Amino acid sequence: MKTTMFMEPGKVQIEDIDKPTIQAPDDVIIHVVRTCVCGSDLWAYRGLEDKATHSENSGHEAIGIVEEVGSDITTVQPGDFVIAPFTHGCGHCAACRAGFEGDCQNHTDNFSNGVQAEYIRFQHGEWALIKIPGQPQDYSEAMLKSLLTLADVMATGYHAARVANVSAGDTVVVVGDGAVGLCGVIAAQMRGAKRIIAMSRHEDRQKLATEFGATDIIAERGDEAVAKVMALTNNAGADAVLECVGTEQSNDTAMKVARPGAIVGRVGLPHEPKMDMSESFYSNTIIAGGPASVTTYDKQVLLKAVLDGDIHPGKVFTKSFKLDEIDDAYQAMTKREAIKSLIVVD
Ligand SMILES: [Zn+2]
Ligand SMILES: [Zn+2]
């Protein structure tokens, strides 16, 4: 089967490898229908993070058809159409029961890898997989795109809003205009935010943020952005802040625009994790966040919201590629020609 190999910074390519097989009783083999490139895949591709040359791709978002199940699997069967989240919670440890399966206490291999491929071996599939009614051909391409966001970005944006406790009537600031930040705007609106201030300096993303429910756009960064938020909120700051980037500057901005006692919900993978904790003390700021609870949100709210047509997070996929064009898909995101690149697997 075809899979994507990370060759070196700036280069991924398709190679032919053996199809995965069941190795544990709770494994599920999935024939991938749609996968994509994540902003987090770009860190190594841009050479900003070490990754071994000629190594498995870091792709972790897919929807597909169950091909084969291990002997312990009772929840899905061959032929089922499923969302394969990037998290693999057990569903019954203390973390999973509290709705934090991104930190499942029973699984050390709790995250997906290598899903930019024709087939994947999904470990711990019993609770983590989410069944989609019907078959892929029952859905429009736009709907398939939205369903794919439920493997990561829409759930991650929702996680930021949930841990930041976005509530009806709130003023929310979303830091970051990548796919996750844009999904954070959707999530803030779903949870009843009255004012959603999106930080974005790219026209295509500003447009989508507005379409998703942002009431104000701030193109500035750093202290200029902070000043703008303060001006927009009569110097109050935001009731909740979604940090969807993960850099030192974005975290610093997030902390500074939070009103005293507000929660900063962090879902940007921290790459420069230095934070001045004394600042949060003197503003009573609460810092929350981490890996999203994908299965929990999909089952509770997100799958229904997508199927009912209430939200359209698939609009973050602004370019489509075939699996053979995987390097072009990475390039399009690296050059910011695409907000997020979809991969169609035949
Ligand atoms: Zn991702
Ligand atoms: Zn668990």
Side-chain angles (χ1 to χ4, degrees), residues 11-251:
K11 189 179 180 194
V12 292
Q13 72 180 35
I14 295 298
E15 287 191 5
D16 205 42
I17 62 164
D18 288 341
K19 211 175 129 180
T21 54
I22 299 283
Q23 289 170 39
D26 63 348
D27 277 353
V28 176
I29 305 298
I30 297 169
H31 188 175
V32 175
V33 170
R34 296 286 183 279
T35 180
C36 53
V37 183
C38 186
S40 63
D41 300 328
L42 298 181
W43 287 91
Y45 191 79
R46 286 181 169 137
L48 301 172
E49 186 184 276
D50 285 338
K51 180 166 168 57
T53 55
H54 199 248
S55 59
E56 182 183 46
N57 71 80
S58 54
H60 48 265
E61 301 155 78
I63 52 175
I65 300 291
V66 173
E67 171 105 344
E68 195 185 347
V69 299
S71 54
D72 283 357
I73 299 290
T74 63
T75 52
V76 295
Q77 54 187 13
D80 283 349
F81 185 27
V82 292
I83 298 164
F86 81 91
T87 53
H88 297 241
C90 72
H92 52 80
C93 70
C96 285
R97 275 187 284 117
F100 288 97
E101 72 264 23
D103 300 291
C104 176
Q105 292 160 305
N106 281 329
H107 299 156
T108 48
D109 51 347
N110 201 41
F111 300 119
S112 292
N113 255 315
V115 316
Q116 289 156 356
E118 288 182 304
Y119 291 88
I120 56 174
R121 171 182 160 247
F122 190 93
Q123 76 275 17
H124 310 306
E126 175 70 357
W127 180 80
L129 289 170
I130 301 104
K131 246 207 278 203
I132 303 169
Q135 291 290 305
Q137 57 268 28
D138 301 333
Y139 295 98
S140 65
E141 189 62 30
M143 187 58 94
L144 292 177
K145 288 177 180 173
S146 285
L147 291 167
L148 177 59
T149 67
L150 303 188
D152 180 357
V153 287
M154 184 60 229
T156 297
Y158 195 87
H159 190 60
R162 173 209 169 190
V163 296
N165 195 30
V166 172
S167 306
D170 277 356
T171 293
V172 178
V173 169
V174 180
V175 183
D177 64 357
V180 170
L182 293 166
C183 289
V185 171
I186 295 176
Q189 198 192 41
M190 288 176 82
R191 297 177 62 93
K194 188 169 134 207
R195 191 161 197 192
I196 303 171
I197 303 168
M199 292 190 175
S200 173
R201 49 166 52 171
H202 305 96
E203 206 185 325
D204 54 337
R205 295 154 193 251
Q206 292 174 349
K207 252 180 83 181
L208 202 48
T210 305
E211 192 182 328
F212 284 166
T215 53
D216 304 85
I217 302 284
I218 292 181
E220 288 79 0
R221 280 195 188 170
D223 289 339
E224 281 177 57
V226 174
K228 265 246 162 118
V229 171
M230 289 306 167
L232 284 173
T233 59
N234 290 325
N235 274 327
D239 300 310
V241 184
L242 316 189
E243 197 293 299
C244 307
V245 182
T247 63
E248 192 168 358
Q249 187 191 50
S250 64
N251 274 287

Side-chain angles (χ1 to χ4, degrees), residues 255 260-261 276-287:
M255 297 287 289
D276 182 357
M277 297 304 282
S278 60
E279 264 184 57
S280 69
F281 180 87
Y282 286 104
S283 58
N284 271 288
T285 311
I286 303 162
I287 299 163

